[in-house]
Amino acid sequence: MGALSLLLGRTQLSYGASMMAVRIWPAPEYSRVTLESDAPLKTTQTFVADPPRLAVDIEGLQLNNALRELVGKVQANDPNIAGIRVGQFSANVVRLVIDLKQPIAPQVFTLQPVEPYQYRLVLDLYPTQAVDPLEKLIADRLKESGSTPSAPVAGADPLGDLMAQRAGKPPAPPRQYMDRPDHPPRPPEPVRASDRLIVVAIDPGHGGEDPGAIGPNGTREKDVVLSIARRLSTLINSQSMGGSPMRAFLTRDADYFVPLHVRVQKARRVQADLMVSIHADAFFTPQARGASVFALSDGAASSSAARWMAQKENKADLIGGINLGGQDQHVQRALLDMSTTAQIRDSLKLGGSLLRYISQVGRLHKPRVEQAGFAVLKAPDIPSVLVETAFISNPEEEMRLRDPAYQEQLTEALLKGIVQYFERNPPLARTRSA
């Protein structure tokens, strides 16, 4: 049976609950299993390491069709879940066993009701060997160029080494002190313009449990913005600026939930030169229309509409479902409180360039960049904007957002705005020192 196990905890007690729905969200970063009920559930969880599996006993529950459906919802290409077994373990306990493809670090937590969901029991299955976004970015780029990544060196700059490989030079060693203690550190080797990899972080909003806005014909914001983000990624990856290749990095590349602060952390981890968060607007009435671009505000919002929009987008963590018990709240709050005057100034420049070209393919809701306290824009060192591509609540604009031809026009406009921003604000050279 292998090594037993780690008791992961208990959730709130309630008897007589009914299972309303079950969902599975597979992704390389983690797979999520969600069980939605009409009352909170009491659970006991045990993780067995060999072979890896997670057993969950749910008390006060009877096996029903919704739970049985969970078995068939496992996808063959799920990176983490091999299969799920479910049965009535005792008269009042349903046992759920998740067979895993690799060692995982499970997180099990509950969520209070929030529109459109009732009570949720969430099982997040994180691989113990987490995907590093920077290493993945580099590996993808090397794969395109036909190179083979070398083993990482402590203190080295992976992006700098990639730049050096592209220029046909050996990777620069990490900065070290010379043998004699009275010698100063060796200065970093200057970086040529052709060595510079320009990284653009593209952030498709919402995902997984959080569908975002839903149009009158059922179009989900999370699906539309992911499609647009993938198209924009393809265009960016084919571009270069003054001999420097451009590379897009997607904060999510499939239908799964990413907390707002993690999106910011990802962009910073890959040393992005700018970040574009892509959304589709919605309002109470179907008449509202047009695209908007938002930057961060260091004070009050630029309008009541901008403030309302920021409050709506910042609720994504509540709907998507964040494990507050697994977060260092002080670190999270410090990250999302950071902003700089320079970042906001550059974000306004980026937003202005994007608006200029978006106006050529569609109507604008506001002709200027608006500002508000969007959590996803709070990377202190990365110019960041949020683009509301159109009002998905407007039937006409919903149809346009679903149209591949319009998506292509929109992404070309976004690319032109990004290129114009870099032409007027060249990215700073990176050094390859530690």
Side-chain angles (χ1 to χ4, degrees):
M1 180 173 176
L4 190 74
S5 38
L6 172 62
L7 195 62
L8 300 176
R10 292 177 178 269
T11 58
Q12 185 177 351
L13 173 65
S14 180
Y15 291 96
S18 296
M19 193 61 58
M20 312 300 295
V22 294
R23 295 176 289 275
I24 300 178
W25 308 102
E29 292 185 23
Y30 75 106
S31 293
R32 168 172 286 191
V33 178
T34 304
L35 289 78
E36 185 180 357
S37 60
D38 60 358
L41 301 171
K42 178 185 177 183
T43 66
T44 302
Q45 309 90 39
T46 304
F47 176 65
V48 180
D50 187 19
R53 60 194 185 275
L54 178 67
V56 182
D57 286 345
I58 309 173
E59 298 183 25
L61 194 65
Q62 298 296 314
L63 187 62
N64 66 1
N65 288 334
L67 277 168
R68 291 188 180 95
E69 289 175 1
L70 192 58
V71 176
K73 288 181 179 287
V74 178
Q75 300 179 25
N77 62 351
D78 189 309
N80 304 298
I81 301 176
I84 293 180
R85 293 170 280 151
V86 61
Q88 194 74 45
F89 181 67
S90 67
N92 210 37
V93 176
V94 169
R95 171 163 289 183
L96 183 71
V97 179
I98 303 176
D99 297 309
L100 302 159
K101 293 181 178 179
Q102 59 179 316
I104 60 105
Q107 294 185 18
V108 181
F109 57 98
T110 57
L111 297 169
Q112 294 298 308
V114 60
E115 192 66 32
Y117 299 116
Q118 298 191 49
Y119 293 92
R120 285 175 288 171
L121 172 65
V122 179
L123 315 174
D124 280 350
L125 309 172
Y126 288 89
T128 54
Q129 295 294 324
V131 176
D132 186 305
L134 181 59
E135 290 181 2
K136 185 177 185 303
L137 179 71
I138 294 169
D140 289 347
R141 187 69 196 180
L142 289 174
K143 184 178 180 181
E144 290 176 2
S145 63
S147 303
T148 303
S150 56
V153 179
D157 175 2
L159 273 182
D161 290 348
L162 174 58
M163 301 167 197
Q165 280 198 19
R166 185 179 179 278
K169 299 184 297 182
R175 195 163 109 186
Q176 299 175 344
Y177 285 90
M178 300 179 68
D179 293 338
R180 290 176 55 184
D182 56 333
H183 279 203
R186 181 178 300 162
E189 180 182 338
V191 178
R192 304 183 314 182
S194 60
D195 294 340
R196 181 64 159 91
L197 182 68
I198 299 174
V199 181
V200 178
I202 307 172
D203 174 50
H206 309 281
E209 288 286 286
D210 177 16
I214 300 177
N217 292 307
T219 307
R220 300 182 300 185
E221 179 182 3
K222 67 174 183 177
D223 299 329
V224 168
V225 298
L226 181 59
S227 176
I228 292 171
R230 285 172 171 166
R231 291 176 184 273
L232 181 57
S233 175
T234 300
L235 290 178
I236 287 173
N237 290 341
S238 66
Q239 297 295 309
S240 63
M241 293 284 299
S244 299
M246 295 178 67
R247 181 72 195 179
F249 169 76
L250 290 169
T251 60
R252 72 173 177 98
D253 55 6
D255 185 13
Y256 60 97
F257 171 68
V258 182
L260 296 173
H261 75 281
V262 174
R263 297 169 188 262
V264 176
Q265 289 173 339
K266 285 185 170 187
R268 300 189 76 203
R269 180 70 184 93
V270 299
Q271 303 173 34
D273 294 290
L274 58 81
M275 180 174 180
V276 179
S277 189
I278 301 176
H279 292 254
D281 217 337
F283 200 61
F284 303 109
T285 63
Q287 287 77 27
R289 60 187 303 168
S292 305
V293 177
F294 296 86
L296 187 65
S297 170
D298 58 358
S302 58
S303 69
S304 57
R307 181 172 61 253
W308 178 83
M309 184 60 63
Q311 291 171 346
K312 181 172 72 73
E313 297 294 358
N314 289 346
K315 289 181 179 177
D317 282 350
L318 294 177
I319 300 171
I322 185 172
N323 181 14
L324 293 176
Q327 304 295 325
D328 184 331
Q329 292 300 296
H330 297 291
V331 172
Q332 189 181 133
R333 189 176 299 111
L335 172 66
L336 295 183
D337 281 348
M338 291 190 295
S339 63
T340 66
T341 301
Q343 187 260 25
I344 293 174
R345 181 190 64 234
D346 290 341
S347 299
L348 290 170
K349 292 178 182 177
L350 172 61
S353 294
L354 294 174
L355 278 176
R356 186 171 297 110
Y357 288 99
I358 293 173
S359 66
Q360 297 177 11
V361 299
R363 178 172 176 170
L364 296 181
H365 185 65
K366 290 288 181 67
R368 65 182 183 280
V369 182
E370 295 238 66
Q371 292 180 261
F374 291 88
V376 78
L377 302 182
K378 292 189 176 182
D381 45 2
I382 304 173
S384 304
V385 296
L386 186 146
V387 178
E388 295 283 3
T389 52
F391 276 86
I392 201 170
S393 53
N394 180 302
E396 181 183 341
E397 294 202 335
E398 179 190 18
M399 289 182 61
R400 297 189 75 189
L401 286 172
R402 293 167 61 116
D403 182 5
Y406 178 71
Q407 288 187 12
E408 196 66 30
Q409 291 177 346
L410 180 61
T411 53
E412 288 175 357
L414 293 173
L415 176 68
K416 290 176 182 178
I418 290 169
V419 169
Q420 184 186 79
Y421 170 79
F422 281 131
E423 288 174 345
R424 297 179 176 181
N425 306 273
L428 298 176
R430 284 195 183 99
T431 65
R432 294 195 296 274
S433 60

